[in-house]
Amino acid sequence: ITWTDILVDAVERYDFTFAEWVHNLHRRQLGVGFPAPWFDASTILVQDSKEASPTFSVISFLKPFSYEVWGMIFGLIVFSAIIYWKMDMLISSRRRNITGADLFFPAMAFTQHHIEWNPSTHSQRIFSFSLSFWALIMGAAYTANMASFLVAPDQPAYTEITLKQATEQGAKVCARFGAAVENQLKRSYPGLKIVSGEAFSDTYLKLRNRECLVMATRASDW
């Protein structure tokens, strides 16, 4: 006797048979029907999105980088100016003090502007190329981070929480009065604060009115 024989015999004797039967073509050809599931009775938590209030700040342009990164950028610009000034002193017969132009050129290189900066030696050209390449990488990273900061405020904010965490934190959970979900919550989580609604629409309205943090319901009901 095979499991297929047992399955065929069970189908002939009874209206339904409940077991972990494997679906295959041979059993279907023998007249066994495997109904597709139509109701998902698993419990899910539904949460209302939080509207993020728009804020304006005059220093919003600094958000793509942390303050430590901005400090590193400023320090590297000053350090580059000193290095370029030292290299210019080595090839020049006259001595001169560091000027604002020495700081201006590295700063403009960071902003991706092409200015009149003509290195006359190979060492200066190599240094200028490395500084320009660094500025290219930093500019691309700034642009990418700025785009993410512009998109992030438009995303709805949610609070991730489980039923166990809700019980421990004293958070309120909405559930339809007398429904199987409410009875399941009372049995599994005795200390859970449940806010009941007479109908599904009333329960969801309580969620919208912030009377509870999340709403527990069946996946198919939702």
Side-chain angles (χ1 to χ4, degrees):
I1 299 176
T2 63
W3 283 108
T4 301
D5 297 332
I6 298 176
L7 175 60
V8 173
D9 180 70
V11 171
E12 293 176 352
R13 290 172 178 267
Y14 309 102
D15 295 327
F16 298 96
T17 174
F18 298 93
E20 296 180 357
W21 298 111
V22 177
H23 300 203
N24 56 45
L25 180 60
H26 175 62
R27 291 176 177 178
R28 291 183 181 274
Q29 291 174 345
L30 293 176
V32 179
F34 298 93
W38 61 274
F39 186 84
D40 188 354
S42 58
T43 302
I44 62 172
L45 298 179
V46 180
Q47 185 177 144
D48 192 21
S49 62
K50 299 178 182 179
E51 300 294 337
S53 56
T55 57
F56 173 77
S57 175
V58 293
I59 60 173
S60 296
F61 68 94
L62 297 177
K63 289 183 177 181
F65 291 152
S66 63
Y67 292 122
E68 291 80 6
V69 175
W70 282 115
M72 181 272 297
I73 292 174
F74 178 77
L76 187 58
I77 290 176
V78 174
F79 179 74
S80 300
I82 295 175
I83 293 299
Y84 195 83
W85 168 66
K86 284 293 185 181
M87 288 190 298
D88 195 33
M89 289 284 293
L90 292 176
I91 64 174
S92 178
S93 57
R94 61 184 181 86
R95 299 183 59 85
R96 66 177 181 85
N97 296 326
I98 189 170
T99 63
D102 297 309
L103 289 172
F104 178 73
F105 291 148
M108 293 303 292
F110 173 73
T111 60
Q112 305 293 302
H113 280 276
H114 299 282
I115 57 177
E116 188 177 355
W117 193 8
N118 298 318
S120 56
T121 63
H122 291 299
S123 59
Q124 287 180 323
R125 294 188 185 100
I126 294 174
F127 177 78
S128 301
F129 175 78
S130 61
L131 180 63
S132 300
F133 185 75
W134 168 82
L136 175 65
I137 299 299
M138 296 302 296
Y142 181 86
T143 304
N145 289 353
M146 176 62 77
S148 65
F149 272 97
L150 293 176
V151 174
D154 296 332
Q155 301 298 323
Y158 298 98
T159 302
E160 296 183 1
I161 192 171
T162 62
L163 289 172
K164 182 179 180 181
Q165 292 173 342
T167 305
E168 295 173 350
Q169 299 174 11
K172 297 180 179 180
V173 178
C174 289
R176 187 162 59 89
F177 178 76
V181 174
E182 184 189 37
N183 297 329
Q184 179 186 1
L185 294 179
K186 289 181 178 179
R187 290 194 307 268
S188 303
Y189 305 93
L192 183 63
K193 297 181 180 179
I194 301 177
V195 180
S196 301
E198 292 296 332
F200 183 84
S201 57
D202 299 331
T203 309
Y204 182 65
L205 184 61
K206 291 180 181 294
L207 176 66
R208 294 287 295 175
N209 292 336
R210 302 291 195 274
E211 297 183 28
C212 55
L213 180 62
V214 293
M215 181 180 72
T217 183
R218 298 298 190 198
S220 294
D221 292 338
W222 180 251

